[in-house]
Amino acid sequence: MYKPVLIPIVCLIFLAAIPLKAQITIDAETGLAFPGYNDVRIPNTTGTLFSFQDDFEAEGPVIPFRLRLGYTFKEKNHIFALYAPLGINYNGTANKDISFESSVFEQGQALSGYYQFNSYRITYRRDIITSGNWQVGVGFTGKIRDAQVRLANGQGLNDRKDDLGFVPLLHLYTAYDLGGEKLIYFEGDGLAGGPGRAFDLFLGTRLPITNHIAFKAGYRFLEGGADVDEVYNFTLVQFAVAGLFIQL
């Protein structure tokens, strides 16, 4: 019930924080996702531990999409709003009885699974080094996590766990200018500690096509999860990334 209002809320907060005189950027990204480990036990205290990666097969290819709007003001200050949906479908046969949420899926049943990890973020970054060819910035990110894990069999039994919450993250950006507007850069959000962790890291390059459009390519690393009473879930997804960076 919350999903239809998440994107408008994020956009309103983003626009309200933007000064009138600012440089606007659009960062659109796609590519190919390579799902790694995805270990699940729900509830953590009474559920059965299973692996989407080892016990199921991902329906592919998994093609991600991200859209990020950016504003730069007073040269060194940046605000970004990110929309990053991610959903992976799985199929497999239960190799044991799986207790999941309030249901039990019996050994030998053909199962379908779904893993969702949508992310909505607002980021503020300030550049602290702009010397020579180097640019380094630090900041913080407020993330809304919209996650879901679902299992179903062919007999009509299905169950799911939704997880909607707020996660504060640290943000880091480092770029090296190769000349002619060509960049090699690293950018990431992340935080670890307590019952969980979250990392979204990118390393790649940006190459100009026109004065206002550049091609981006690189590698993205998405990893994290939580170990709490309600949920045990840790996931790794790696991405080959391509996209466009547009300055308005």
Side-chain angles (χ1 to χ4, degrees):
M1 63 180 291
Y2 298 102
K3 295 178 186 178
V5 301
L6 282 175
I7 296 176
I9 289 174
V10 168
C11 291
L12 286 173
I13 295 172
F14 180 58
L15 292 174
I18 299 304
L20 293 177
K21 295 182 179 180
Q23 180 187 52
I24 304 171
T25 60
I26 300 172
D27 189 345
E29 177 183 308
T30 186
L32 192 61
F34 301 92
Y37 57 78
N38 193 340
D39 302 324
V40 178
R41 182 169 55 230
I42 302 174
N44 193 3
T45 52
T46 59
T48 302
L49 180 66
F50 68 93
S51 168
F52 273 131
Q53 175 69 11
D54 297 334
D55 305 333
F56 292 74
E57 290 187 3
E59 291 184 6
V62 179
I63 300 175
F65 171 75
R66 288 181 170 225
L67 181 64
R68 189 173 78 166
L69 303 180
Y71 284 77
T72 298
F73 59 99
K74 295 184 180 179
E75 296 185 356
K76 295 185 177 182
N77 298 280
H78 312 269
I79 298 177
F80 303 101
L82 173 71
Y83 170 56
L86 177 65
I88 306 172
N89 290 293
Y90 293 90
N91 286 304
T93 301
N95 58 13
K96 56 190 172 186
D97 289 349
I98 299 176
S99 176
F100 173 77
E101 271 292 77
S102 58
S103 303
V104 176
F105 298 87
E106 296 181 357
Q107 181 177 357
Q109 291 181 342
L111 302 180
S112 62
Y114 178 70
Y115 177 81
Q116 172 187 292
F117 198 87
N118 297 341
S119 185
Y120 312 88
R121 303 180 207 170
I122 294 287
T123 298
Y124 169 75
R125 185 184 87 222
R126 179 171 174 82
D127 296 333
I128 57 173
I129 297 175
T130 53
S131 176
N133 294 339
W134 288 98
Q135 181 180 358
V136 178
V138 295
F140 55 87
T141 293
K143 169 183 170 181
I144 297 176
R145 176 192 62 242
D146 179 17
Q148 182 187 115
V149 179
R150 187 169 69 232
L151 283 179
N153 64 16
Q155 290 73 47
L157 179 63
N158 63 82
D159 216 332
R160 62 191 249 182
K161 173 64 176 178
D162 295 306
D163 186 8
L164 183 68
F166 176 78
V167 182
L169 301 171
L170 300 177
H171 179 82
L172 177 65
Y173 176 85
T174 303
Y176 183 79
D177 188 349
L178 298 171
E181 301 297 324
K182 302 180 183 70
L183 294 179
I184 294 177
Y185 68 105
F186 167 86
E187 187 169 23
D189 293 321
L191 193 65
R197 61 181 183 265
F199 294 99
D200 184 354
L201 312 176
F202 174 81
L203 178 65
T205 186
R206 203 156 70 210
L207 305 173
I209 300 174
T210 70
N211 289 336
H212 298 283
I213 301 175
F215 172 76
K216 64 176 287 188
Y219 163 77
R220 183 173 296 281
F221 174 92
L222 183 68
E223 198 274 345
D227 182 0
V228 296
D229 289 343
E230 291 187 3
V231 173
Y232 177 91
N233 177 224
F234 286 92
T235 305
L236 167 67
V237 184
Q238 300 178 81
F239 303 82
V241 169
L244 293 176
F245 183 84
I246 303 170
Q247 294 182 336
L248 301 179

